[in-house]
Amino acid sequence: MMKKIIKKIDEQIAAGIYPGASLALYSDGVWQEHYRGVEDPERNHSVREGLVYDLASVSKVVGVGTVVAFLIDKGRMTLDQSLQSLYPDFSAPQVTIRQLLTHTSGLDPFIPNRDQLDEQGLKAALNQLTVLEDKSFRYTDVNFLLLGFMLEEFFGLSLDEIFEKLIFQPWKLTKTSFGPVTEAVPTVRGVRAGRVHDPKAQVLGKHTGSAGLFSTVQDMESFLEHYLQDAFAEKLSKNYSLEVGKTRSLAWNIEGEWLDHTGYTGTFLMYNRKQQQAVVFLSNRTYEKDERSQWIQDRNELMQLIKKEFSLASPLSS
């Protein structure tokens, strides 16, 4: 199994899709890690254990998605509760927690002059977003930005404090934090390593619910083990969306028995609770170029190959 997956990654590196990648696969109670290519082409530094990556939108499940799942599981909030009931600064009473988690809120993400806004102005604009009639699936960061603001209101703490208290400390994610960080894999040539890639996260910093977290393969292994084992995640493998056409868990995408989430910088997590299998893939695919459509195709090919190989081979080392 491993040979085909590593061969595919090596082919993608050779094609310039990303300069290097860190991969971890979990099966039969064991993680296997593989490091391919270079993490910094300018200095020709090889990919190795312990590197810190910009998670981009994988942050949605690592942070906000996990905390909200805790609260739903404990009955401290309900899926069909309105966002406004928990976060009064938001203008539209009809938008629910379920809709935000499944990206079916109908929120129009367009913000005029967004790149000219400071933190206060961006937050004010997000609180006044237009709600469209169409509630079909539409993946957008604004859903999780608003959920992040809601959590800060709910706990009376900033997101970095909430995540540290409820996730990072108890799960021993010692290398996971909001950026900027002092050392990380560079995401763009010529841009200082450790600077957050996402433009909204650059403005909102530790108040960003949609992106902005940095982490390592080892921390993400620990993170996924809790989703494989803990009671709060037991029911997450079902479809929570009320809209036809797209199955979604709470924050996660669902494809059959697999749940996954991807990140713009070239990252993804996958897990299959029933089969007790999981995947961590971290790269800096935005380093040299940003061809989003092609990346989605290449990424999906890799994800499908990994799932296929998992289904065909056991144990993992075969």
Side-chain angles (χ1 to χ4, degrees), residues 38-280:
V38 297
E39 55 102 359
D40 187 345
E42 287 190 303
R43 295 186 292 176
N44 200 33
H45 286 178
S46 297
V47 175
R48 59 200 180 279
E49 182 179 350
L51 292 177
V52 176
Y53 289 83
D54 184 337
L55 296 180
S57 283
V58 168
S59 303
K60 291 180 175 68
V61 290
V62 174
V64 165
T66 295
V67 175
V68 176
F70 289 164
L71 295 173
I72 297 295
D73 180 63
K74 294 174 181 177
R76 297 183 66 186
M77 65 177 60
T78 63
L79 280 173
D80 295 313
Q81 193 168 356
S82 72
L83 174 67
Q84 193 183 69
S85 69
L86 297 165
Y87 178 53
D89 287 347
F90 183 63
S91 61
Q94 70 270 39
V95 175
T96 68
I97 303 302
R98 181 195 302 270
Q99 290 174 331
L100 295 167
L101 287 167
T102 59
H103 294 282
T104 56
S105 64
L107 287 170
D108 184 348
F110 177 71
I111 297 173
N113 303 312
R114 187 200 71 189
D115 293 339
Q116 281 71 56
L117 299 176
D118 60 11
E119 179 184 333
Q120 184 177 357
L122 180 55
K123 186 173 183 179
L126 288 162
N127 288 340
Q128 299 294 324
L129 288 174
T130 300
V131 183
L132 306 173
E133 290 295 325
D134 182 4
K135 299 298 188 296
S136 58
F137 174 78
R138 184 178 188 179
Y139 180 86
T140 171
D141 283 355
V142 301
N143 292 314
F144 277 73
L145 289 167
L146 288 164
L147 284 170
F149 298 155
M150 177 272 292
L151 288 179
E152 292 187 321
E153 181 82 10
F154 188 90
F155 288 102
L157 300 169
S158 59
L159 283 181
D160 62 331
E161 295 172 310
I162 296 168
F163 297 166
E164 189 68 30
K165 180 179 180 180
L166 298 183
I167 308 169
F168 302 165
Q169 286 188 7
W171 289 4
K172 296 180 172 58
L173 308 186
T174 60
K175 302 295 184 181
T176 306
S177 68
F178 275 105
V181 296
T182 55
E183 293 185 10
V185 175
T187 54
V188 178
R189 181 186 284 273
V191 175
R192 186 186 69 80
R195 181 176 184 262
V196 180
H197 184 266
D198 182 86
K200 299 188 197 74
Q202 290 175 17
V203 175
L204 294 172
K206 64 185 181 182
H207 307 291
T208 312
S210 62
L213 292 177
F214 285 73
S215 192
T216 64
V217 164
Q218 291 72 34
D219 271 16
M220 291 298 94
E221 290 173 355
S222 298
F223 173 79
L224 286 175
E225 286 178 21
H226 284 276
Y227 270 86
L228 290 171
Q229 299 163 10
D230 291 4
F232 86 93
E234 188 174 359
K235 298 178 181 178
L236 292 182
S237 297
K238 71 176 186 177
N239 180 29
Y240 283 88
S241 176
L242 299 180
E243 301 299 317
V244 177
K246 182 65 174 177
T247 57
R248 296 287 298 191
S249 180
L250 303 183
W252 297 83
N253 180 49
I254 304 177
E255 299 287 346
E257 294 180 348
W258 286 89
L259 281 75
D260 67 72
H261 208 292
T262 62
Y264 196 88
T265 51
T267 58
F268 62 79
L269 302 181
M270 301 163 51
Y271 78 94
N272 184 327
R273 184 165 172 126
K274 181 178 180 181
Q275 300 299 328
Q276 287 293 291
Q277 298 167 334
V279 182
V280 179

